[in-house]
């Protein structure tokens, strides 16, 4: 347990940097959050078709680990967000992630340009699956492959608050 605590603690420099961050509150549903700005800023959507999304992303310093590689948490975030976008339908609430499996196959360095593709694998009821590939655009090396499962049921009170159930 002590090893985990030590790993998660910030050093003095990082602590000071975090304390200087200004995080303004946002109006839910109307404005982007700090999370969106920090984790997703810089992703460029190149192509959208039913069940398919292709994006480009240049690895920024804010998402790298101590070795200068794209952090595994940032990769998981990309799989989650771009994977979910392949099954998003306008006018229908976004499905929520229920499972992700990610194979980390290579490393993306600071400044590398990545190609991110997400393909819908299928849908049954409210359940959907996607496959996400993250590749180095220059070399073609596969950095990560993610399988992403999502669920959304318009009649669920759990997902959509006080709306009445359609069951």
């Amino acid at each position: 347990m002590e090893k985990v605590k030590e790993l998660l603690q910030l050093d003095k420099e990082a602590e000071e940097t975090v304390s200087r961050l200004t995080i303004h509150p946002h109006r839910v549903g109307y404005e982007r959050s700090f999370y969106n700005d920090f984790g997703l800023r810089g992703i460029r959507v190149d192509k959208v078709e039913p069940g398919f999304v292709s994006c480009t992303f240049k690895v920024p310093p804010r998402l790298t680990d101590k070795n200068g590689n794209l952090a595994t948490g940032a990769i998981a975030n990309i799989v989650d967000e771009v994977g979910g976008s392949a099954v998003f339908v306008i006018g229908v609430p976004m499905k929520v992630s229920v499972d992700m499996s990610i194979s980390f196959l290579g490393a993306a360095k600071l400044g590398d340009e990545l190609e991110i593709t997400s393909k819908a694998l299928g849908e049954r009821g409210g359940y959907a699956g996607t496959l996400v590939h993250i590749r180095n655009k220059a070399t073609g090396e596969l950095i990560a492959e993610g399988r992403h499962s999502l669920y959304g049921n318009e009649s669920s009170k759990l997902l959509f608050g006080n709306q009445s159930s359609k069951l």
Side-chain angles (χ1 to χ4, degrees):
M1 191 63 161
E2 289 304 313
K3 188 80 169 165
V4 172
K5 280 184 181 179
E6 184 182 313
L7 181 67
L8 294 174
Q9 284 184 324
L10 299 176
D11 61 25
K12 289 290 183 199
E13 182 182 340
E15 207 171 286
E16 289 174 19
T17 301
V18 169
S19 71
R20 289 192 305 266
L21 289 174
T22 303
I23 303 170
H24 301 286
H26 73 286
R27 294 180 306 155
V28 176
Y30 296 98
E31 298 171 338
R32 293 173 58 95
S33 68
F34 172 79
Y35 164 78
N36 291 120
D37 255 358
F38 188 82
L40 303 176
R41 185 182 52 215
I43 293 179
R44 186 181 74 227
V45 178
D46 298 321
K47 186 176 187 177
V48 176
E49 296 175 355
F52 179 81
V53 176
S54 178
C55 304
T56 306
F57 183 63
K58 188 173 181 180
V59 177
R62 70 180 185 281
L63 298 180
T64 57
D65 62 17
K66 65 182 179 183
N67 298 317
N69 296 325
L70 181 61
T72 55
I75 291 172
N77 186 52
I78 290 168
V79 169
D80 187 25
E81 294 295 331
V82 180
S85 67
V87 294
F88 177 72
V89 177
I90 295 173
V92 175
M94 191 83 168
K95 293 179 182 296
V96 296
S97 300
V98 292
D99 185 52
M100 284 194 300
S101 172
I102 303 170
S103 297
F104 298 96
L105 304 165
K109 294 283 188 193
L110 174 64
D112 284 353
E113 190 169 26
L114 306 177
E115 176 185 53
I116 306 159
T117 58
S118 177
K119 179 181 176 187
L121 296 175
E123 261 187 88
R124 177 165 287 178
Y127 182 81
T130 64
L131 178 64
V132 179
H133 285 135
I134 301 173
R135 292 184 183 280
N136 181 308
K137 201 166 186 176
T139 67
E141 177 189 10
L142 187 59
I143 305 302
E145 177 182 86
R147 290 186 178 265
H148 187 205
S149 302
L150 305 104
Y151 180 78
N153 181 349
E154 289 183 61
S155 63
S156 171
K157 289 181 183 180
L158 175 66
L159 296 177
F160 307 110
N162 296 329
Q163 294 178 358
S164 62
S165 176
K166 296 178 183 177
L167 294 176

